[in-house]
Amino acid sequence: MKLDKLLKHRAIIWLLLAVNIPGTIYGYIWYGNQLVYTAANYPNWLLPFVPDSPTASLFFTLALILLLYPPRTTAGITVRALIEALAVVTSVKYGIWAVSIIAAGGYQGGSIVWQDWMLMTSHAGMAVEALLYARFFVCRKMLPLALLWTLLNDTVDYSYGVYPWLPRVLTDDVPQVRTFTFLLTLVSAAAAWLASKGVHSRRAQ
């Protein structure tokens, strides 16, 4: 397919890296205030569970690098598969989640400023690129582990209150957001499974 050939072109992958690496860094900066607040008010072991979207972007960035420079050892291929599985599930999940939450906040009367439009665009891009590249990944056997990790992240977020800060108008809708988040994790894992279908039969690793 022409699209597959285009997406696998090294120049295109490097272009995506040029976008995703700064985006990932910016994402962690965006979470800076919440990370500082969490460190001051919660046990430090909760900190890795706070910056959900940039961590998803980090997984996808690593997956792109491993697509450019695939490991050859059995252990390396296993690590690659796990990173790719986490990249697809979490990028689809948090990409859709961010767009949905910002839109829901606007629907309930919250203001949507230019930063919100930027975030919706970038997060939609996260989900799209993950689904497009899943066909080239060797992640399918690791998707159950990625699903379990993402469900664990959801459980920690909503059990300890370290979920991403919501628009002010949604602060009384946390139970509904929690339900949506868990359901979206399941949907994202299913989408990742379908998008990666057939990879292992086409590629011998």
Side-chain angles (χ1 to χ4, degrees):
M1 291 176 60
K2 290 184 178 180
L3 178 60
D4 284 6
K5 186 176 181 180
L6 176 65
L7 292 174
K8 291 176 69 177
H9 197 286
R10 295 179 74 86
I12 296 298
I13 297 174
W14 278 110
L15 179 61
L16 286 175
L17 284 172
V19 173
N20 279 274
I21 291 173
T24 300
I25 295 171
Y26 178 77
Y28 282 108
I29 294 172
W30 180 272
Y31 272 88
N33 289 337
Q34 186 172 357
L35 286 167
V36 170
Y37 177 83
T38 301
N41 295 278
Y42 294 89
N44 285 338
W45 68 268
L46 291 172
L47 288 172
F49 295 95
V50 173
D52 295 331
S53 292
T55 300
S57 180
L58 176 62
F59 285 137
F60 188 75
T61 298
L62 293 174
L64 289 178
I65 293 172
L66 291 171
L67 194 60
L68 285 172
Y69 304 102
R72 301 301 178 187
T73 65
T74 300
I77 293 169
T78 300
V79 171
R80 173 189 173 184
L82 179 58
I83 290 173
E84 291 174 343
L86 289 166
V88 179
V89 174
T90 60
S91 293
V92 173
K93 185 262 183 74
Y94 293 115
I96 296 173
W97 187 92
V99 173
S100 301
I101 293 302
I102 293 171
Y107 179 77
Q108 292 201 21
S111 60
I112 297 183
V113 298
W114 71 266
Q115 291 98 328
D116 296 314
W117 290 109
M118 177 195 68
L119 288 172
M120 285 194 286
T121 301
S122 62
H123 281 79
M126 283 175 56
V128 170
E129 66 182 4
L131 290 174
L132 284 175
Y133 275 86
R135 73 188 79 181
F136 310 126
F137 291 163
V138 295
C139 62
R140 205 162 192 236
K141 290 183 179 180
M142 287 295 181
L143 287 175
L145 284 180
L147 171 61
L148 289 175
W149 164 259
T150 311
L151 288 172
L152 172 63
N153 193 96
D154 294 343
T155 301
V156 171
D157 277 358
Y158 292 93
S159 296
Y160 291 90
V162 293
Y163 50 83
W165 285 345
L166 302 171
R168 190 181 301 269
V169 294
L170 296 182
T171 53
D172 58 346
D173 295 316
V174 173
Q176 291 85 352
V177 172
R178 179 181 62 227
T179 300
F180 170 70
T181 300
F182 275 93
L183 289 175
L184 185 56
T185 293
L186 299 177
V187 170
S188 299
W193 181 268
L194 293 173
S196 64
K197 186 177 182 180
V199 168
H200 286 281
S201 65
R202 295 198 309 269
R203 297 182 60 177
Q205 290 287 343

mmCIF file of all heavy atoms in Angstrom, residues 1-9 12 133 135-136:
data_model
loop_
_atom_site.group_PDB
_atom_site.id
_atom_site.type_symbol
_atom_site.label_atom_id
_atom_site.label_comp_id
_atom_site.label_asym_id
_atom_site.label_seq_id
_atom_site.Cartn_x
_atom_site.Cartn_y
_atom_site.Cartn_z
ATOM 1 N N MET A 1 0.832 -1.201 0.000
ATOM 2 C CA MET A 1 0.000 0.000 0.000
ATOM 3 C C MET A 1 0.870 1.255 0.000
ATOM 4 O O MET A 1 1.897 1.307 0.670
ATOM 5 C CB MET A 1 -0.912 0.012 1.235
ATOM 6 C CG MET A 1 -2.009 -1.055 1.221
ATOM 7 S SD MET A 1 -2.959 -1.042 2.747
ATOM 8 C CE MET A 1 -3.601 0.619 2.700
ATOM 9 N N LYS A 2 0.421 2.261 -0.763
ATOM 10 C CA LYS A 2 1.190 3.490 -0.837
ATOM 11 C C LYS A 2 1.249 4.191 0.523
ATOM 12 O O LYS A 2 2.270 4.772 0.886
ATOM 13 C CB LYS A 2 0.591 4.414 -1.889
ATOM 14 C CG LYS A 2 0.777 3.919 -3.321
ATOM 15 C CD LYS A 2 0.239 4.924 -4.319
ATOM 16 C CE LYS A 2 0.474 4.444 -5.749
ATOM 17 N NZ LYS A 2 -0.051 5.416 -6.740
ATOM 18 N N LEU A 3 0.133 4.143 1.264
ATOM 19 C CA LEU A 3 0.117 4.791 2.573
ATOM 20 C C LEU A 3 1.114 4.131 3.513
ATOM 21 O O LEU A 3 1.846 4.809 4.235
ATOM 22 C CB LEU A 3 -1.287 4.748 3.171
ATOM 23 C CG LEU A 3 -1.435 5.359 4.582
ATOM 24 C CD1 LEU A 3 -1.026 6.837 4.564
ATOM 25 C CD2 LEU A 3 -2.842 5.175 5.104
ATOM 26 N N ASP A 4 1.153 2.801 3.506
ATOM 27 C CA ASP A 4 2.100 2.091 4.362
ATOM 28 C C ASP A 4 3.537 2.478 4.020
ATOM 29 O O ASP A 4 4.364 2.708 4.904
ATOM 30 C CB ASP A 4 1.932 0.578 4.197
ATOM 31 C CG ASP A 4 0.705 0.055 4.925
ATOM 32 O OD1 ASP A 4 -0.066 0.884 5.456
ATOM 33 O OD2 ASP A 4 0.513 -1.174 4.960
ATOM 34 N N LYS A 5 3.826 2.541 2.733
ATOM 35 C CA LYS A 5 5.183 2.903 2.308
ATOM 36 C C LYS A 5 5.537 4.313 2.757
ATOM 37 O O LYS A 5 6.659 4.580 3.202
ATOM 38 C CB LYS A 5 5.291 2.785 0.793
ATOM 39 C CG LYS A 5 6.697 3.004 0.259
ATOM 40 C CD LYS A 5 6.753 2.772 -1.245
ATOM 41 C CE LYS A 5 8.179 2.973 -1.767
ATOM 42 N NZ LYS A 5 8.245 2.746 -3.241
ATOM 43 N N LEU A 6 4.563 5.228 2.664
ATOM 44 C CA LEU A 6 4.792 6.607 3.094
ATOM 45 C C LEU A 6 5.033 6.674 4.596
ATOM 46 O O LEU A 6 5.984 7.328 5.060
ATOM 47 C CB LEU A 6 3.598 7.476 2.709
ATOM 48 C CG LEU A 6 3.647 8.939 3.172
ATOM 49 C CD1 LEU A 6 4.800 9.672 2.487
ATOM 50 C CD2 LEU A 6 2.318 9.638 2.889
ATOM 51 N N LEU A 7 4.186 6.000 5.365
ATOM 52 C CA LEU A 7 4.304 6.058 6.817
ATOM 53 C C LEU A 7 5.604 5.437 7.314
ATOM 54 O O LEU A 7 6.153 5.863 8.338
ATOM 55 C CB LEU A 7 3.106 5.356 7.475
ATOM 56 C CG LEU A 7 1.743 6.028 7.307
ATOM 57 C CD1 LEU A 7 0.643 5.145 7.869
ATOM 58 C CD2 LEU A 7 1.719 7.394 7.980
ATOM 59 N N LYS A 8 6.093 4.432 6.602
ATOM 60 C CA LYS A 8 7.322 3.757 7.028
ATOM 61 C C LYS A 8 8.585 4.442 6.511
ATOM 62 O O LYS A 8 9.684 4.028 6.864
ATOM 63 C CB LYS A 8 7.303 2.299 6.555
ATOM 64 C CG LYS A 8 6.273 1.436 7.268
ATOM 65 C CD LYS A 8 6.229 0.032 6.710
ATOM 66 C CE LYS A 8 7.476 -0.741 7.047
ATOM 67 N NZ LYS A 8 7.409 -2.154 6.563
ATOM 68 N N HIS A 9 8.418 5.467 5.686
ATOM 69 C CA HIS A 9 9.592 6.185 5.182
ATOM 70 C C HIS A 9 10.320 6.830 6.356
ATOM 71 O O HIS A 9 9.713 7.469 7.217
ATOM 72 C CB HIS A 9 9.157 7.258 4.184
ATOM 73 C CG HIS A 9 10.271 7.766 3.333
ATOM 74 N ND1 HIS A 9 11.247 8.627 3.822
ATOM 75 C CD2 HIS A 9 10.591 7.535 2.034
ATOM 76 C CE1 HIS A 9 12.096 8.902 2.860
ATOM 77 N NE2 HIS A 9 11.725 8.258 1.762
ATOM 78 N N ILE A 12 9.638 10.477 7.185
ATOM 79 C CA ILE A 12 8.348 10.741 7.842
ATOM 80 C C ILE A 12 8.453 10.419 9.332
ATOM 81 O O ILE A 12 7.946 11.167 10.185
ATOM 82 C CB ILE A 12 7.226 9.914 7.190
ATOM 83 C CG1 ILE A 12 7.036 10.345 5.727
ATOM 84 C CG2 ILE A 12 5.923 10.061 7.965
ATOM 85 C CD1 ILE A 12 6.625 11.788 5.559
ATOM 86 N N TYR A 133 0.125 3.742 13.082
ATOM 87 C CA TYR A 133 1.402 3.021 13.170
ATOM 88 C C TYR A 133 1.284 1.667 13.857
ATOM 89 O O TYR A 133 2.234 0.873 13.813
ATOM 90 C CB TYR A 133 2.452 3.888 13.858
ATOM 91 C CG TYR A 133 3.126 4.819 12.883
ATOM 92 C CD1 TYR A 133 2.577 6.053 12.590
ATOM 93 C CD2 TYR A 133 4.290 4.443 12.214
ATOM 94 C CE1 TYR A 133 3.166 6.905 11.657
ATOM 95 C CE2 TYR A 133 4.892 5.285 11.288
ATOM 96 C CZ TYR A 133 4.321 6.512 11.012
ATOM 97 O OH TYR A 133 4.903 7.331 10.085
ATOM 98 N N ARG A 135 -0.121 -0.877 12.908
ATOM 99 C CA ARG A 135 0.016 -1.957 11.923
ATOM 100 C C ARG A 135 1.470 -2.363 11.702
ATOM 101 O O ARG A 135 1.746 -3.455 11.191
ATOM 102 C CB ARG A 135 -0.616 -1.526 10.603
ATOM 103 C CG ARG A 135 0.183 -0.486 9.843
ATOM 104 C CD ARG A 135 -0.564 0.052 8.632
ATOM 105 N NE ARG A 135 -1.546 1.047 9.040
ATOM 106 C CZ ARG A 135 -2.367 1.667 8.195
ATOM 107 N NH1 ARG A 135 -2.324 1.376 6.917
ATOM 108 N NH2 ARG A 135 -3.213 2.560 8.629
ATOM 109 N N PHE A 136 2.398 -1.473 12.063
ATOM 110 C CA PHE A 136 3.821 -1.758 11.869
ATOM 111 C C PHE A 136 4.489 -2.266 13.146
ATOM 112 O O PHE A 136 5.676 -2.612 13.124
ATOM 113 C CB PHE A 136 4.568 -0.511 11.393
ATOM 114 C CG PHE A 136 3.918 0.167 10.220
ATOM 115 C CD1 PHE A 136 3.589 1.507 10.270
ATOM 116 C CD2 PHE A 136 3.635 -0.547 9.062
ATOM 117 C CE1 PHE A 136 2.993 2.137 9.188
ATOM 118 C CE2 PHE A 136 3.037 0.068 7.973
ATOM 119 C CZ PHE A 136 2.713 1.419 8.031
#
